[in-house]
PDB file of all heavy atoms in Angstrom:
ATOM      1  N   ALA A  24      38.130  45.433  27.243  1.00 85.00           N
ATOM      2  CA  ALA A  24      36.974  44.953  26.475  1.00 85.00           C
ATOM      3  C   ALA A  24      37.386  43.716  25.674  1.00 85.00           C
ATOM      4  O   ALA A  24      38.521  43.618  25.210  1.00 85.00           O
ATOM      5  CB  ALA A  24      36.451  46.031  25.537  1.00 85.00           C
ATOM      6  N   VAL A  25      36.458  42.807  25.540  1.00 85.00           N
ATOM      7  CA  VAL A  25      36.732  41.601  24.744  1.00 85.00           C
ATOM      8  C   VAL A  25      35.834  41.522  23.521  1.00 85.00           C
ATOM      9  O   VAL A  25      36.057  40.717  22.631  1.00 85.00           O
ATOM     10  CB  VAL A  25      36.558  40.323  25.586  1.00 85.00           C
ATOM     11  CG1 VAL A  25      37.591  40.274  26.695  1.00 85.00           C
ATOM     12  CG2 VAL A  25      35.152  40.233  26.157  1.00 85.00           C
ATOM     13  N   ALA A  26      34.777  42.357  23.481  1.00 85.00           N
ATOM     14  CA  ALA A  26      33.847  42.258  22.359  1.00 85.00           C
ATOM     15  C   ALA A  26      33.105  43.574  22.203  1.00 85.00           C
ATOM     16  O   ALA A  26      33.242  44.488  23.037  1.00 85.00           O
ATOM     17  CB  ALA A  26      32.859  41.117  22.579  1.00 85.00           C
ATOM     18  N   TYR A  27      32.354  43.687  21.137  1.00 86.00           N
ATOM     19  CA  TYR A  27      31.553  44.885  20.884  1.00 86.00           C
ATOM     20  C   TYR A  27      30.102  44.481  20.667  1.00 86.00           C
ATOM     21  O   TYR A  27      29.816  43.440  20.090  1.00 86.00           O
ATOM     22  CB  TYR A  27      32.071  45.627  19.646  1.00 86.00           C
ATOM     23  CG  TYR A  27      33.475  46.120  19.815  1.00 86.00           C
ATOM     24  CD1 TYR A  27      34.553  45.353  19.398  1.00 86.00           C
ATOM     25  CD2 TYR A  27      33.713  47.362  20.413  1.00 86.00           C
ATOM     26  CE1 TYR A  27      35.839  45.791  19.567  1.00 86.00           C
ATOM     27  CE2 TYR A  27      35.007  47.816  20.584  1.00 86.00           C
ATOM     28  CZ  TYR A  27      36.074  47.032  20.159  1.00 86.00           C
ATOM     29  OH  TYR A  27      37.342  47.480  20.334  1.00 86.00           O
ATOM     30  N   CYS A  28      29.206  45.327  21.133  1.00 85.00           N
ATOM     31  CA  CYS A  28      27.781  45.040  20.959  1.00 85.00           C
ATOM     32  C   CYS A  28      27.437  45.118  19.480  1.00 85.00           C
ATOM     33  O   CYS A  28      27.855  46.036  18.785  1.00 85.00           O
ATOM     34  CB  CYS A  28      26.923  46.026  21.747  1.00 85.00           C
ATOM     35  SG  CYS A  28      25.162  45.846  21.391  1.00 85.00           S
ATOM     36  N   ARG A  29      26.655  44.175  19.031  1.00 81.00           N
ATOM     37  CA  ARG A  29      26.298  44.152  17.619  1.00 81.00           C
ATOM     38  C   ARG A  29      25.346  45.298  17.278  1.00 81.00           C
ATOM     39  O   ARG A  29      25.300  45.784  16.158  1.00 81.00           O
ATOM     40  CB  ARG A  29      25.616  42.819  17.301  1.00 81.00           C
ATOM     41  CG  ARG A  29      25.487  42.604  15.829  1.00 81.00           C
ATOM     42  CD  ARG A  29      24.722  41.344  15.570  1.00 81.00           C
ATOM     43  NE  ARG A  29      24.258  41.316  14.202  1.00 81.00           N
ATOM     44  CZ  ARG A  29      23.558  40.330  13.676  1.00 81.00           C
ATOM     45  NH1 ARG A  29      23.230  39.318  14.415  1.00 81.00           N
ATOM     46  NH2 ARG A  29      23.179  40.370  12.422  1.00 81.00           N
ATOM     47  N   ALA A  30      24.565  45.746  18.260  1.00 82.00           N
ATOM     48  CA  ALA A  30      23.558  46.769  17.984  1.00 82.00           C
ATOM     49  C   ALA A  30      24.125  48.178  18.102  1.00 82.00           C
ATOM     50  O   ALA A  30      23.936  49.011  17.232  1.00 82.00           O
ATOM     51  CB  ALA A  30      22.377  46.599  18.937  1.00 82.00           C
ATOM     52  N   CYS A  31      24.903  48.480  19.180  1.00 86.00           N
ATOM     53  CA  CYS A  31      25.341  49.855  19.386  1.00 86.00           C
ATOM     54  C   CYS A  31      26.843  50.020  19.267  1.00 86.00           C
ATOM     55  O   CYS A  31      27.341  51.151  19.229  1.00 86.00           O
ATOM     56  CB  CYS A  31      24.859  50.356  20.750  1.00 86.00           C
ATOM     57  SG  CYS A  31      25.497  49.356  22.122  1.00 86.00           S
ATOM     58  N   GLY A  32      27.583  48.947  19.195  1.00 85.00           N
ATOM     59  CA  GLY A  32      29.019  49.064  18.984  1.00 85.00           C
ATOM     60  C   GLY A  32      29.827  49.370  20.229  1.00 85.00           C
ATOM     61  O   GLY A  32      31.027  49.618  20.145  1.00 85.00           O
ATOM     62  N   ARG A  33      29.201  49.377  21.394  1.00 85.00           N
ATOM     63  CA  ARG A  33      29.937  49.639  22.622  1.00 85.00           C
ATOM     64  C   ARG A  33      30.904  48.500  22.923  1.00 85.00           C
ATOM     65  O   ARG A  33      30.592  47.334  22.682  1.00 85.00           O
ATOM     66  CB  ARG A  33      28.971  49.774  23.803  1.00 85.00           C
ATOM     67  CG  ARG A  33      28.193  51.068  23.819  1.00 85.00           C
ATOM     68  CD  ARG A  33      27.113  50.961  24.878  1.00 85.00           C
ATOM     69  NE  ARG A  33      26.261  52.141  24.860  1.00 85.00           N
ATOM     70  CZ  ARG A  33      25.063  52.173  25.440  1.00 85.00           C
ATOM     71  NH1 ARG A  33      24.586  51.103  26.045  1.00 85.00           N
ATOM     72  NH2 ARG A  33      24.343  53.263  25.410  1.00 85.00           N
ATOM     73  N   ALA A  34      32.051  48.879  23.488  1.00 87.00           N
ATOM     74  CA  ALA A  34      33.021  47.863  23.901  1.00 87.00           C
ATOM     75  C   ALA A  34      32.522  47.196  25.175  1.00 87.00           C
ATOM     76  O   ALA A  34      31.956  47.851  26.057  1.00 87.00           O
ATOM     77  CB  ALA A  34      34.377  48.504  24.132  1.00 87.00           C
ATOM     78  N   LEU A  35      32.735  45.906  25.265  1.00 86.00           N
ATOM     79  CA  LEU A  35      32.190  45.156  26.392  1.00 86.00           C
ATOM     80  C   LEU A  35      33.255  44.237  26.980  1.00 86.00           C
ATOM     81  O   LEU A  35      34.064  43.675  26.257  1.00 86.00           O
ATOM     82  CB  LEU A  35      31.005  44.294  25.928  1.00 86.00           C
ATOM     83  CG  LEU A  35      29.845  45.032  25.265  1.00 86.00           C
ATOM     84  CD1 LEU A  35      28.932  44.058  24.552  1.00 86.00           C
ATOM     85  CD2 LEU A  35      29.055  45.827  26.306  1.00 86.00           C
ATOM     86  N   CYS A  36      33.225  44.102  28.333  1.00 87.00           N
ATOM     87  CA  CYS A  36      34.106  43.135  28.970  1.00 87.00           C
ATOM     88  C   CYS A  36      33.379  41.794  29.071  1.00 87.00           C
ATOM     89  O   CYS A  36      32.204  41.679  28.728  1.00 87.00           O
ATOM     90  CB  CYS A  36      34.514  43.623  30.362  1.00 87.00           C
ATOM     91  SG  CYS A  36      33.146  43.712  31.518  1.00 87.00           S
ATOM     92  N   THR A  37      34.081  40.812  29.541  1.00 84.00           N
ATOM     93  CA  THR A  37      33.477  39.474  29.616  1.00 84.00           C
ATOM     94  C   THR A  37      32.225  39.473  30.479  1.00 84.00           C
ATOM     95  O   THR A  37      31.301  38.697  30.248  1.00 84.00           O
ATOM     96  CB  THR A  37      34.481  38.464  30.193  1.00 84.00           C
ATOM     97  OG1 THR A  37      35.107  39.049  31.321  1.00 84.00           O
ATOM     98  CG2 THR A  37      35.505  38.067  29.165  1.00 84.00           C
ATOM     99  N   GLU A  38      32.198  40.383  31.470  1.00 83.00           N
ATOM    100  CA  GLU A  38      31.069  40.394  32.383  1.00 83.00           C
ATOM    101  C   GLU A  38      29.825  41.004  31.727  1.00 83.00           C
ATOM    102  O   GLU A  38      28.706  40.609  32.024  1.00 83.00           O
ATOM    103  CB  GLU A  38      31.442  41.220  33.621  1.00 83.00           C
ATOM    104  CG  GLU A  38      30.900  40.673  34.921  1.00 83.00           C
ATOM    105  CD  GLU A  38      31.446  41.465  36.095  1.00 83.00           C
ATOM    106  OE1 GLU A  38      32.678  41.395  36.345  1.00 83.00           O
ATOM    107  OE2 GLU A  38      30.665  42.169  36.734  1.00 83.00           O
ATOM    108  N   CYS A  39      30.068  41.959  30.836  1.00 84.00           N
ATOM    109  CA  CYS A  39      28.935  42.694  30.265  1.00 84.00           C
ATOM    110  C   CYS A  39      28.415  42.082  28.965  1.00 84.00           C
ATOM    111  O   CYS A  39      27.290  42.371  28.558  1.00 84.00           O
ATOM    112  CB  CYS A  39      29.309  44.140  29.980  1.00 84.00           C
ATOM    113  SG  CYS A  39      29.868  45.003  31.429  1.00 84.00           S
ATOM    114  N   GLN A  40      29.236  41.299  28.308  1.00 84.00           N
ATOM    115  CA  GLN A  40      28.764  40.795  27.019  1.00 84.00           C
ATOM    116  C   GLN A  40      27.649  39.775  27.214  1.00 84.00           C
ATOM    117  O   GLN A  40      27.652  38.984  28.147  1.00 84.00           O
ATOM    118  CB  GLN A  40      29.921  40.188  26.230  1.00 84.00           C
ATOM    119  CG  GLN A  40      30.482  38.924  26.864  1.00 84.00           C
ATOM    120  CD  GLN A  40      31.486  38.235  25.957  1.00 84.00           C
ATOM    121  OE1 GLN A  40      31.606  38.573  24.796  1.00 84.00           O
ATOM    122  NE2 GLN A  40      32.207  37.277  26.499  1.00 84.00           N
ATOM    123  N   ARG A  41      26.674  39.857  26.328  1.00 83.00           N
ATOM    124  CA  ARG A  41      25.556  38.904  26.363  1.00 83.00           C
ATOM    125  C   ARG A  41      25.536  38.160  25.027  1.00 83.00           C
ATOM    126  O   ARG A  41      25.441  38.786  23.973  1.00 83.00           O
ATOM    127  CB  ARG A  41      24.220  39.633  26.552  1.00 83.00           C
ATOM    128  CG  ARG A  41      24.131  40.446  27.837  1.00 83.00           C
ATOM    129  CD  ARG A  41      23.852  39.542  29.027  1.00 83.00           C
ATOM    130  NE  ARG A  41      23.712  40.324  30.236  1.00 83.00           N
ATOM    131  CZ  ARG A  41      24.737  40.691  31.014  1.00 83.00           C
ATOM    132  NH1 ARG A  41      25.971  40.368  30.675  1.00 83.00           N
ATOM    133  NH2 ARG A  41      24.531  41.402  32.109  1.00 83.00           N
TER     134      ARG A  41
END
Side-chain angles (χ1 to χ4, degrees):
Chain A
V25 295
Y27 297 93
C28 172
R29 192 184 164 180
C31 60
R33 286 170 185 163
L35 303 166
C36 66
T37 45
E38 217 174 293
C39 302
Q40 67 172 349
R41 300 282 182 273

